[in-house]
Amino acid sequence: AVSSSGVVFAMGNETKWSSRDLLAVFYIIFCLFFAWFISLSNLIFSKHFPDRQYAMEHCQNDTTPMRDTFFRREEETYYGPRWVYFAPHVFSAILWWNLSWIQLIKWIRAKHLWLHRWNGRIQVLAMLGQIITGTGLALKSPTPGIRMLSIAYGAAMAYVWTQTVYHVLRKDIVRHKYWATKMFGYAQAIALQRVFLFFFMVLTVAGVPLYTPLDQLQSQAARDAETLQMFNDSFSMCIYSAIVLTEWYQAAEHNQLLEYRVQEAKEKLPLTGNGAAKPLLR
């Protein structure tokens, strides 16, 4: 049975906005901005996705602050041999980044459940597409380490996706919410990769000694090698950061559950003569 104090505790925490919730909102807005600023706007407005021929011609004029050729050559593979994975990856990304955040709005879940359910079905399919095509793209990564890391990340996302779908089919909304939140949090790695890469380049151009200063890179090969290193590091950092931040966010909910269990245990403990509760024996 659920105790009265436990119900009050759980309801109180459900209706309050914590600093953790506010940070999460700003974090999501920040990631959404970079997803559009770095990737989607470039693909849709500059490269005219899905116009493959136009994009290939436009890639020839692409430049970065590093004055490298690595990104141009990498991007050309997307519109070349990797197009079979890249095209559906972009399409599913457009669906995900433009509509997935709607699932987080509480009043939509409460007042417009039909919208939450139908959008949820779209997002489940979009994320499945992201996982399959993202793993396919990773198989052709220029770095073996990033290839293995990306495949492991895809496997983790597939597991979280499966749990999300499994529990909603069982109508277990509590567990579905837990796994859906985790899936949404892990997916922020896609935007965080752009964030880290952007700041790595900005810091290098600004002369911050995070990487070899740009004025010391005397050859094209050296600039390409440095850019590749930034690209690899951005993948390592984005996956790590997305998972850690998600687990940090959900750890607070787990702590609330522990507090609830403590309250419930205290109500069930017999009292001693002086009114103190006897310790639990295990």
Side-chain angles (χ1 to χ4, degrees), residues 9-66:
F9 177 82
M11 291 178 63
N13 281 278
E14 178 68 20
T15 57
K16 291 180 180 178
W17 273 67
S18 64
S19 57
R20 173 185 67 110
D21 294 324
L22 293 174
L23 285 172
V25 169
F26 285 114
Y27 169 65
I28 292 168
I29 294 173
F30 180 74
C31 287
L32 182 60
F33 169 78
F34 264 87
W36 262 103
F37 176 64
I38 301 295
S39 291
L40 294 181
S41 61
N42 176 56
L43 289 168
I44 296 173
F45 302 118
S46 297
K47 299 297 193 327
H48 293 186
F49 180 86
D51 191 334
R52 188 177 179 186
Q53 182 177 355
Y54 180 91
M56 283 289 285
E57 295 172 357
H58 196 277
C59 287
Q60 302 299 321
N61 302 320
D62 279 358
T63 59
T64 73
M66 296 296 296

Side-chain angles (χ1 to χ4, degrees), residues 178-217:
Y178 171 81
W179 286 103
T181 301
K182 193 181 292 292
M183 181 175 72
F184 185 87
Y186 284 11
Q188 301 310 303
I190 302 168
L192 287 176
Q193 189 269 330
R194 279 72 175 173
V195 173
F196 281 112
L197 184 60
F198 175 81
F199 281 105
F200 288 164
M201 285 192 174
V202 168
L203 292 174
T204 301
V205 172
V208 177
L210 184 62
Y211 294 92
T212 304
L214 190 58
D215 57 5
Q216 295 182 21
L217 299 173

Side-chain angles (χ1 to χ4, degrees), residues 27-259:
Y27 169 65
I28 292 168
I29 294 173
F30 180 74
C31 287
L32 182 60
F33 169 78
F34 264 87
W36 262 103
F37 176 64
I38 301 295
S39 291
L40 294 181
S41 61
N42 176 56
L43 289 168
I44 296 173
F45 302 118
S46 297
K47 299 297 193 327
H48 293 186
F49 180 86
D51 191 334
R52 188 177 179 186
Q53 182 177 355
Y54 180 91
M56 283 289 285
E57 295 172 357
H58 196 277
C59 287
Q60 302 299 321
N61 302 320
D62 279 358
T63 59
T64 73
M66 296 296 296
R67 302 195 302 273
D68 65 282
T69 63
F70 166 75
F71 277 111
R72 176 177 58 78
R73 289 183 282 107
E74 181 71 7
E75 193 171 21
E76 286 174 352
T77 67
Y78 295 149
Y79 298 101
R82 300 161 82 181
W83 176 254
V84 66
Y85 292 113
F86 182 68
H89 189 74
V90 174
F91 179 73
S92 57
I94 292 172
L95 290 175
W96 174 263
W97 286 105
N98 286 294
L99 298 174
S100 62
W101 56 270
I102 295 175
Q103 298 301 96
L104 306 178
I105 302 176
K106 292 182 179 180
W107 71 265
I108 288 182
R109 297 199 301 266
K111 303 295 184 181
H112 304 282
L113 186 59
W114 66 270
L115 177 59
H116 178 76
R117 287 176 173 172
W118 277 103
N119 189 51
R121 294 182 179 105
I122 295 172
Q123 298 315 307
V124 161
L125 294 176
M127 180 47 64
L128 179 61
Q130 290 272 280
I131 294 170
I132 294 173
T133 58
T135 304
L137 289 170
L139 292 173
K140 297 294 184 179
S141 173
T143 306
I146 298 304
R147 189 183 310 144
M148 291 184 287
L149 178 62
S150 298
I151 293 173
Y153 170 68
M157 286 296 295
Y159 177 78
V160 173
W161 181 91
T162 301
Q163 291 291 330
T164 301
V165 174
Y166 173 72
H167 289 299
V168 77
L169 291 176
R170 295 179 62 245
K171 302 186 184 303
D172 187 340
I173 304 304
V174 173
R175 288 184 174 86
H176 166 69
K177 179 182 177 182
Y178 171 81
W179 286 103
T181 301
K182 193 181 292 292
M183 181 175 72
F184 185 87
Y186 284 11
Q188 301 310 303
I190 302 168
L192 287 176
Q193 189 269 330
R194 279 72 175 173
V195 173
F196 281 112
L197 184 60
F198 175 81
F199 281 105
F200 288 164
M201 285 192 174
V202 168
L203 292 174
T204 301
V205 172
V208 177
L210 184 62
Y211 294 92
T212 304
L214 190 58
D215 57 5
Q216 295 182 21
L217 299 173
Q218 302 299 327
S219 66
Q220 187 65 61
R223 289 193 293 272
D224 289 347
E226 177 121 323
T227 307
L228 174 60
Q229 185 62 53
M230 291 180 184
F231 183 72
N232 292 342
D233 292 345
S234 69
F235 266 96
S236 301
M237 287 299 298
C238 77
I239 294 173
Y240 171 82
S241 299
I243 292 175
V244 168
L245 288 172
T246 302
E247 296 306 322
W248 165 79
Y249 181 83
Q250 293 195 303
E253 293 185 352
H254 182 67
N255 186 60
Q256 290 174 3
L257 175 61
L258 292 178
E259 289 293 336

